[in-house]
């Protein structure tokens, strides 16, 4: 089970930090990721982190603004979002898979991020 939190309403240029608490085991092969879906659009990839070594991956549109991290002791993955833009407005979903950029079968319920311009 994946449970996200941290979404909300923020002005453009502001910051938010999302958290995803993971119940159940995470393996060295696990890749935790964040995806987002804006109204009327398909779900898109945002960022991933390898549970084994913390290696991170980002889609180009968020590189240098977002940072994904993990706390192994808390089984939690974070997404720090800075310099937010109106186009970052979406429901953000945590995902557990095995390949960066490719979603696995496990999803959280989502948390809404709204950026006002």
């Amino acid at each position: 089970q994946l449970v996200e939190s941290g979404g909300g309403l923020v002005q453009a240029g502001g910051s938010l930090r999302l958290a995803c608490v993971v119940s159940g085991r995470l393996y060295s092969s696990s890749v935790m990721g964040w995806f987002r879906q804006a109204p009327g659009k398909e779900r898109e990839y945002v960022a991933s982190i390898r549970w084994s070594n913390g290696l991170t991956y980002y889609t180009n549109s968020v590189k240098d603004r977002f940072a994904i991290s993990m706390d192994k002791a808390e089984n939690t993955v974070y997404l720090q979002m800075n310099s937010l833009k109106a186009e970052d407005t979406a429901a953000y979903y945590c995902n557990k898979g095995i390949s960066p950029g490719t979603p696995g079968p496990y999803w959280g319920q989502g948390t809404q991020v709204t950026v006002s311009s």
Side-chain angles (χ1 to χ4, degrees), residues 3-4 20 27-28 31-32 37-38 44 50 52 63 69 71-72 77-78 81-82 86 89 92 97 106 109-110:
V3 179
E4 302 101 330
C20 172
Y27 302 90
S28 58
V31 174
M32 295 301 302
Q37 187 168 19
E44 65 172 1
R50 289 194 182 275
S52 60
K63 208 172 290 187
S69 62
D71 183 333
K72 286 192 170 183
V77 178
Y78 300 97
M81 305 185 295
N82 301 322
T89 294
Y92 282 70
Y106 305 100
Q109 83 288 354

Side-chain angles (χ1 to χ4, degrees), residues 31 48-57 68 70 100:
V31 174
S48 293
I49 188 165
R50 289 194 182 275
W51 197 251
S52 60
N53 58 13
L55 196 59
T56 58
Y57 308 83
I68 189 170
M70 62 188 186

Side-chain angles (χ1 to χ4, degrees), residues 3-61:
V3 179
E4 302 101 330
S5 62
L9 173 64
V10 64
Q11 288 188 334
S15 298
L16 282 174
R17 188 175 81 154
L18 307 183
C20 172
V21 179
V22 184
S23 299
R25 291 194 64 180
L26 283 161
Y27 302 90
S28 58
S29 60
S30 296
V31 174
M32 295 301 302
W34 288 94
F35 292 74
R36 66 187 180 186
Q37 187 168 19
K41 294 188 176 182
E42 291 188 356
R43 194 168 294 188
E44 65 172 1
Y45 169 72
V46 177
S48 293
I49 188 165
R50 289 194 182 275
W51 197 251
S52 60
N53 58 13
L55 196 59
T56 58
Y57 308 83
Y58 300 92
T59 192
N60 285 339
S61 63

